[in-house]
Amino acid sequence: MDPLRHPDLVDVSRRLRRQWEQVVEAEQAAARAIWWRRRSLRDRLIDAEDRNECATLWCRDGRAAVGVVQAVGSDHVVIRVGDRQRFVLLHQIVAAGFEGVE
């Protein structure tokens, strides 16, 4: 009989594997939670750019900018409104909403 195929070792191996998978799942969930808590508006705008999402950005002056997120810089976002581009400074944004574009 192969010593590595002993029934006791097989059982121990399965239990260790199951425990390891549970630990990995818990670590991934914790990492996901930390990422969601630490991400900034700029991070979310970068996601919107990658996904070609439409954003509504409400600014301090009370106006809203609505369009597809085209580019995100270190201090601004560029949204496409029809055939025009609008630059919005990140520090002027007070709220944002996002929709996917088909």
Side-chain angles (χ1 to χ4, degrees), residues 4 7-19:
L4 296 177
D8 292 340
L9 291 177
V10 171
D11 183 51
V12 167
S13 173
R14 283 187 190 132
R15 281 189 281 142
L16 286 173
R17 177 93 173 151
R18 196 169 31 249
Q19 183 180 16

Side-chain angles (χ1 to χ4, degrees), residues 2 9-10 13 16 18 22 24 29-30 34-35 37 39 43 49-50 54 59 63 71 73 75 77 86 90 93 98:
D2 181 5
L9 291 177
V10 171
S13 173
L16 286 173
R18 196 169 31 249
Q22 290 172 344
V24 168
I34 289 171
W35 178 75
R37 289 178 184 140
R39 78 185 207 155
D43 294 332
E49 177 188 0
D50 292 343
C54 182
C59 299
R63 294 187 297 170
D75 63 349
V77 60
R86 183 162 176 196
L90 291 177
I93 300 170
F98 300 92

Side-chain angles (χ1 to χ4, degrees), residues 4-86:
L4 296 177
R5 294 286 175 202
H6 189 279
D8 292 340
L9 291 177
V10 171
D11 183 51
V12 167
S13 173
R14 283 187 190 132
R15 281 189 281 142
L16 286 173
R17 177 93 173 151
R18 196 169 31 249
Q19 183 180 16
W20 178 78
E21 288 171 352
Q22 290 172 344
V23 168
V24 168
E25 286 177 23
E27 289 291 333
Q28 288 176 339
R32 235 183 337 270
I34 289 171
W35 178 75
W36 275 99
R37 289 178 184 140
R38 289 187 179 170
R39 78 185 207 155
S40 65
L41 173 61
R42 183 175 180 275
D43 294 332
R44 179 59 182 95
L45 287 165
I46 290 171
D47 287 344
E49 177 188 0
D50 292 343
R51 295 179 185 146
N52 199 34
E53 287 180 320
C54 182
T56 303
L57 308 175
W58 289 274
C59 299
R60 290 183 195 277
D61 62 5
R63 294 187 297 170
V66 181
V68 177
V69 179
Q70 192 168 22
V72 180
S74 60
D75 63 349
H76 69 282
V77 60
V78 180
I79 60 172
R80 187 178 66 244
V81 182
D83 60 348
R84 297 176 52 194
Q85 292 179 331
R86 183 162 176 196

